[in-house]
Amino acid sequence: MALMVMAMKSLRNTRKSLHKMGRAVAAASLTLSAGMAMAAGTLPDRWQLNMHPGVTETARNAYHIHMLMLWICVVIGIIVFGAMAYAMFKFRKSKGAVAAQFSHNTVAELIWTIIPIVILIVCAWPATKILVHTADTSNPELTIKVTGYQWKWRYEYVDYQGKATGINFMSKLDGDSDRTRQLKSGLDPHAVKVGEEQTYLLNVDKPLVLPTNAKVRFVITADDVIHAWWVPALGWKVDAIPGIINDAWTLIEQPGTYRGQCAELCGQDHGFMPIVVEAKPKAEFEQWLAGQQAANAAQNAPAAAQAPVAAPQG
Amino acid sequence: MATHAADAHHDDHDHKPQGFWDRWVFTTNHKDIGTLYLVFAFIMFCIGGAMSGVIRAELAQPGLQFVQPYFFNQMTTVHALVMIFGGVMPAFVGLANWMVPLMIGAPDMALPRMNNWSFWIMPFAFTVLLLTLFLPGGAPAGGWTLYPPLSLQGGSSVAFAIFAIHMMGISSIMGAINIIATILNMRAPGMDLLRMPLFVWTWLITAFLLIAVMPVLAGAVTMLLTDKFFGTSFFNAAGGGDPVMFQHIFWFFGHPEVYIMILPAFGIVSEIIPTFSRKPLFGYQAMVYATASIAFLSFIVWAHHMFTVGMPLGGELFFMYATMMIAVPTGVKVFNWVSTMWKGSMTFETPMLWAIAFVILFTIGGFSGLMLAMVPADFQYHDTYFVVAHFHYVLVTGALFSIIAAVYFWWPKWTGKMYSEKWGKFHFWWSTFFVNVLFFPQHFLGLAGMPRRIPDYNVAFADWNLVSSIGAFGMLASPIIMFAVLWHSKKHGAPATTQVWEGAHGLEWTVPSPAPHHTFTEPPVIRASMLAHGDVTH
Ligand code: HEM
Ligand SMILES: [Cu+2]
Ligand SMILES: [Cu+2]
């Protein structure tokens, strides 16, 4: 019954009740993580039990659908396993139980066919709304082209606010992690740190820098085999497939460093091609962008001057 | 040969062929072939289990301690292929061989020589597959799903693996044809379709699934083969092909395949629970229809494995809705099992314990499956340890637990010996404890962001991984315990009665224990009281 009430509520006002449930859950759940409160948490927590709500609307939506489904499953589980447990204790031969011989009950069978259908419709509704919203990649401020390679990522800043930027670089596992991860390296993964954070296998030589509070569109592809670009705090992963261009978007709400990994088996170093997103307030981002462009120009300028000698490629 | 001379003595009242070759290699007897399948599956479970031991050893701590990442990938790939095609599927075929003729009152399978061939292909197929581990480039390492372009990067192992898959496919298709022919043509008079035991029903439906999808897999891997060796570009974008098309074709096989691995389990549990509840199965017809509708739905949900490949919105929605619908007939099954127990008179012998654990733990796997169906959340879950936890709950505590339940349930009929309840229960509690230690924490790892198919991870994932590995090492003892229990039973077990279990109904419980080499050479006369599901009128 409680389930039905919950369900009706979420039908009436999907988002609101989802949020409410999310909060109730946050309070009630066994999560040991402090990461929930400080959503900008950049690394997974030790002994983490649950998904984090992330730093985008998409990630929060994923989290709410996750919690909605989790609680529905918990409630159904309690009912079903409770009934089973009761039956196992009550209807034992050793307690003198005599078996009834019924093998039908049309009413009961109808009920447990129809109620699940209703529950499923109630779940499908918010999921559909969210999905339609997530699929809309129109009107971005910044477009990034992501290309997966064995075993690194290329990021191209295709255009920002309608202007081509010319920025384009590779991003791969950082040196510390790379040395430590060699078979029998004798190095301690716990000792791989950035500041206080233990970033083993979740750090790169050059992160993807993005502005906060701006819609960023990704076009994603691959050069060799299939990879998948995934930063949990952003709330989605999309396959990077050679010959195909997929798209997705994000709008990061808080500055921070968000870490993820390739999520599609792509060969021997699949476990060693992390992703780091550094989200900066717009002004800082623009500064960074200008800096990169200036560095590019500086690199190209001498090249232009001595063009006949050598032309280093960007 | 000499064995023919021995045959002439007729001193064995069973008319068993004497001598190893005649008895086991040239056999056309459904019971002996069933035994061969089960022994083969047990060996494969041990080999696949050893590989998972390598994987979990490497994953016990952060950093690489034992194996190179490429070898790690070979282990996950071959582990899965061995467990699925060498363990679960042959075990179910073995159970079908043993039990279907006994349950429908047939003297043997309809096509006994083909039956022999179906089995004897398997050891060769797996020899080929396992020998790739010793090739210069090693075994296939692109995951059991064989997605191109990655799967085509391996050396010649691709060709061997595909050859092995073709052989397994031929074996499965022949096995399926045999089961369908047997069930449709060889039922004893009075064994109407809607009186058949559920194990027979679920296998009938499974056999149709096999015939429908094994050729699809064969087609997919053949295209891989020609892409790799004959210059085609079915899946090669540079040549105008489409790597995503492979995934569509693969999962059009793959999703029905997962039901091939669970429908017979439903059948087994639907035999065991009524037996130890001493009460007829609740909703027999609903169970049959639920099985059929699950089988139908299994053909229209394949792309739920591919929500992140960049399908159009309409496609994502369709596959999400279709997948959610499977929860309804699956729910019906679970509710019916619980209702069968309700107001029964239950005892908890070893097979019943495994069956109850199946219902609970398979349902947990079903719950995470329902969560995975929700596309917005799947964008997070996909290809993480959450998925690894999900499919091991349905495959290990689902399919494998049902197989173990079936072995304990029918063992006394096969061998004429009871096993030790005490040690059977010990085996159960040991396995159930460790399997949960092994797989439950993997949900947490996935939700915290650990991708699957990686040999090493950030230190934040270390704690749960260690717990999981401890569970895995406990679980590795499970086949050893089982072997010991059954060995002891074979040597020292008390003799079994004909009915074996107090609440057992069905034709298989009317023949002596051990079941003689030939049974039902004359069709039995069937009375409703002999059947587990004789009464379907109201
Ligand atoms: C004690 C028993 C088992 C253990 C400890 C175990 C452990 C594992 C581990 C550690 C992985 C690798 C996960 C990854 O790296 O992504 C894996 C993958 C897998 N296992 Fe098992 N497993 C067991 C039994 C089974 C059984 C019985 C089946 C099937 C019937 C099975 C089917 C699979 C499949 C399909 C994969 C996916 C392989 C891939 O990613 O290509 N496992 N298992
Ligand atoms: Cu990868
Ligand atoms: Cu599926």
Side-chain angles (χ1 to χ4, degrees):
Chain A
M1 229 39 296
L3 194 65
M4 291 305 292
V5 174
M6 238 158 63
M8 296 330 277
K9 223 198 284 172
S10 79
L11 239 190
R12 242 183 285 125
N13 190 338
T14 319
R15 190 136 314 138
K16 201 165 126 215
S17 90
L18 282 179
H19 274 285
K20 224 184 284 169
M21 278 179 58
R23 248 182 284 123
V25 164
S29 79
L30 293 166
T31 302
L32 301 175
S33 76
M36 214 119 149
M38 32 167 281
T42 67
L43 284 165
D45 304 323
R46 289 188 64 177
W47 298 108
Q48 183 176 332
L49 293 174
N50 201 0
M51 193 188 282
H52 283 173
V55 290
T56 64
E57 190 192 359
T58 313
R60 256 190 329 273
N61 284 338
Y63 174 77
H64 289 320
I65 291 286
H66 162 68
M67 292 316 288
L68 172 70
M69 298 311 294
L70 181 61
W71 282 111
I72 288 177
C73 291
V74 166
V75 171
I76 298 175
I78 289 172
I79 295 170
V80 173
F81 302 149
M84 257 176 103
Y86 181 82
M88 284 190 284
F89 285 104
K90 191 84 194 290
F91 309 119
R92 293 176 165 251
K93 192 174 178 220
S94 58
K95 285 195 168 174
V98 179
Q101 290 300 313
F102 66 87
S103 64
H104 287 272
N105 186 329
T106 312
V107 178
E109 290 178 75
L110 273 178
I111 290 177
W112 67 51
T113 310
I114 291 167
I115 290 187
I117 293 177
V118 174
I119 295 176
L120 289 177
I121 292 172
V122 167
C123 303
W125 178 254
T128 304
K129 272 177 56 170
I130 289 169
L131 207 54
V132 172
H133 180 58
T134 309
D136 175 16
T137 55
S138 59
N139 301 321
E141 253 181 89
L142 170 65
T143 300
I144 304 277
K145 182 174 175 208
V146 179
T147 312
Y149 295 83
Q150 284 174 318
W151 291 273
K152 52 191 179 279
W153 298 99
R154 176 189 288 282
Y155 299 117
E156 292 173 62
Y157 290 66
V158 181
D159 57 38
Y160 178 57
Q161 295 180 340
K163 284 199 290 289
T165 70
I167 300 200
N168 164 6
F169 56 85
M170 287 287 189
S171 175
K172 64 174 198 310
L173 185 67
D174 67 306
D176 269 1
S177 298
D178 197 41
R179 275 184 296 281
T180 309
R181 64 111 176 171
Q182 301 302 322
L183 181 61
K184 304 195 171 89
S185 69
L187 301 173
D188 180 8
H190 295 86
V192 178
K193 285 188 180 176
V194 175
E196 279 305 290
E197 291 187 329
Q198 295 181 308
T199 55
Y200 180 56
L201 299 184
L202 288 179
N203 198 18
V204 293
D205 54 355
K206 187 162 184 190
L208 174 68
V209 179
L210 295 179
T212 53
N213 294 316
K215 184 163 178 179
V216 181
R217 175 170 182 251
F218 294 87
V219 290
I220 301 176
T221 186
D223 188 60
D224 35 42
V225 301
I226 304 177
H227 306 262
W229 200 84
W230 181 37
V231 176
L234 306 191
W236 49 261
K237 65 177 71 69
V238 167
D239 290 359
I241 306 172
I244 289 178
I245 295 182
N246 281 325
D247 66 347
W249 64 274
T250 194
L251 195 156
I252 301 172
E253 291 160 355
Q254 296 172 41
T257 307
Y258 308 112
R259 297 170 197 276
Q261 302 183 65
C262 176
E264 176 67 50
L265 179 60
C266 56
Q268 64 176 17
D269 288 350
H270 163 56
F272 310 101
M273 51 182 293
I275 296 160
V276 178
V277 170
E278 232 177 83
K280 296 177 188 284
K282 247 188 212 161
E284 266 177 59
F285 169 75
E286 281 168 9
Q287 239 173 8
W288 175 85
L289 197 68
Q292 294 289 308
Q293 282 170 325
N296 263 8
Q299 230 182 29
N300 290 338
Q306 322 159 358
V309 187
Q313 303 293 307
Chain B
M1 283 168 279
T3 44
H4 282 286
D7 244 5
H9 287 298
H10 280 297
D11 47 10
D12 185 327
H13 74 282
D14 269 356
H15 303 288
K16 279 197 191 76
Q18 302 296 299
F20 181 81
W21 283 84
D22 279 3
R23 172 80 195 269
W24 297 110
V25 182
F26 298 121
T27 179
T28 54
N29 179 282
H30 73 102
K31 301 186 184 78
D32 285 352
I33 293 175
T35 304
L36 286 171
Y37 265 111
L38 288 165
V39 170
F40 175 78
F42 182 80
I43 295 169
M44 288 296 138
F45 277 127
C46 292
I47 294 174
M51 291 174 181
S52 67
V54 174
I55 302 172
R56 280 306 340 162
E58 184 54 67
L59 289 172
Q61 294 171 53
L64 291 179
Q65 292 84 27
F66 303 108
V67 296
Q68 289 290 0
Y70 191 72
F71 186 74
F72 181 94
N73 290 350
Q74 296 176 35
M75 285 292 108
T76 56
T77 306
V78 182
H79 157 73
L81 291 170
V82 164
M83 287 295 195
I84 292 173
F85 294 103
V88 174
M89 290 171 67
F92 280 138
V93 178
L95 293 170
N97 257 291
W98 251 106
M99 301 319 297
V100 167
L102 283 180
M103 288 176 137
I104 62 174
D108 204 309
M109 297 294 279
L111 307 160
R113 283 165 208 270
M114 196 165 90
N115 205 8
N116 173 293
W117 195 27
S118 316
F119 171 75
W120 276 108
I121 287 176
M122 295 298 284
F124 292 95
F126 278 88
T127 307
V128 171
L129 181 67
L130 290 172
L131 282 179
T132 61
L133 280 164
F134 304 102
L135 284 177
W144 85 279
T145 48
L146 302 171
Y147 285 2
L150 181 65
S151 62
L152 300 181
Q153 284 188 343
S156 51
S157 68
V158 184
F160 289 95
I162 289 174
F163 184 46
I165 290 172
H166 274 137
M167 289 204 282
M168 296 163 205
I170 292 170
S171 162
S172 298
I173 291 170
M174 289 197 299
I177 291 173
N178 212 342
I179 286 168
I180 293 173
T182 307
I183 296 173
L184 294 185
N185 296 311
M186 312 253 307
R187 277 170 289 128
M191 178 59 76
D192 306 335
L193 282 178
L194 277 177
R195 286 179 154 193
M196 294 196 309
L198 258 173
F199 179 67
V200 179
W201 254 116
T202 52
W203 241 117
L204 179 64
I205 292 168
T206 302
F208 278 104
L209 289 183
L210 274 169
I211 290 182
V213 301
M214 292 310 288
V216 177
L217 174 65
V221 297
T222 304
M223 286 187 269
L224 280 184
L225 192 74
T226 62
D227 269 13
K228 168 104 181 154
F229 296 103
F230 302 108
T232 59
S233 15
F234 290 108
F235 309 128
N236 174 6
D242 179 359
V244 175
M245 186 171 72
F246 176 84
Q247 302 186 17
H248 281 293
I249 302 172
F250 180 87
W251 287 113
F252 187 81
F253 145 80
H255 198 82
E257 168 69 17
V258 307
Y259 286 95
I260 288 166
M261 291 191 281
I262 207 65
L263 295 185
F266 291 167
I268 290 165
V269 170
S270 302
E271 303 301 329
I272 293 176
I273 290 182
T275 301
F276 296 98
S277 303
R278 294 169 181 72
K279 187 163 157 282
L281 183 70
F282 186 91
Y284 169 82
Q285 290 201 24
M287 289 298 230
V288 173
Y289 297 135
T291 310
S293 42
I294 290 172
F296 168 75
L297 287 172
S298 78
F299 283 103
I300 57 166
V301 298
W302 74 87
H304 66 206
H305 299 270
M306 310 162 48
F307 283 140
T308 63
V309 298
M311 264 187 292
L313 178 63
E316 312 246 270
L317 289 174
F318 172 82
F319 285 106
M320 175 170 78
Y321 300 149
T323 305
M324 293 170 77
M325 259 151 63
I326 294 194
V328 176
T330 312
V332 165
K333 287 193 159 281
V334 173
F335 299 139
N336 283 359
W337 289 321
V338 177
S339 309
T340 304
M341 291 158 64
W342 197 259
K343 300 210 165 150
S345 170
M346 271 188 276
T347 52
F348 300 90
E349 287 85 344
T350 307
M352 181 66 160
L353 291 179
W354 290 97
I356 289 171
F358 169 95
V359 176
I360 296 172
L361 299 174
F362 169 79
T363 303
I364 290 176
F367 284 148
S368 55
L370 185 59
M371 297 169 76
L372 284 158
M374 312 302 294
V375 183
D378 184 69
F379 286 161
Q380 293 281 42
Y381 305 139
H382 179 71
D383 262 335
T384 67
Y385 259 82
F386 190 79
V387 177
V388 177
H390 157 71
F391 66 67
H392 282 98
Y393 265 86
V394 291
L395 286 173
V396 178
T397 57
L400 183 53
F401 269 35
S402 82
I403 291 165
I404 299 173
V407 170
Y408 279 109
F409 186 50
W410 285 313
W411 176 265
K413 180 55 64 192
W414 300 339
T415 63
K417 301 282 177 61
M418 300 306 288
Y419 56 84
S420 155
E421 275 300 342
K422 184 171 125 211
W423 287 101
K425 284 180 179 161
F426 173 77
H427 177 216
F428 167 79
W429 286 111
W430 177 280
S431 308
T432 302
F433 174 74
F434 282 110
V435 87
N436 284 291
V437 174
L438 163 57
F439 292 121
F440 208 83
Q442 296 184 357
H443 292 113
F444 307 144
L445 286 169
L447 294 175
M450 179 169 160
R452 68 190 272 209
R453 297 169 163 173
I454 58 175
D456 197 3
Y457 45 77
N458 181 264
V459 294
F461 300 129
D463 309 287
W464 284 127
N465 268 299
L466 181 60
V467 173
S468 179
S469 288
I470 291 170
F473 291 118
M475 200 53 196
L476 284 182
S478 179
I480 301 169
I481 302 171
M482 181 161 180
F483 187 83
V485 174
L486 298 181
W487 185 265
H488 178 266
S489 156
K490 188 90 181 110
K491 294 287 166 216
H492 311 288
T497 62
T498 295
Q499 201 192 0
V500 182
W501 312 110
E502 187 187 41
H505 291 284
L507 294 182
E508 76 266 39
W509 308 110
T510 62
V511 303
S513 307
H517 199 58
H518 297 290
T519 38
F520 299 126
T521 43
E522 317 242 304
V525 178
I526 295 176
R527 280 166 285 113
S529 63
M530 289 156 75
L531 299 179
H533 317 289
D535 182 15
V536 294
T537 44
H538 51 245

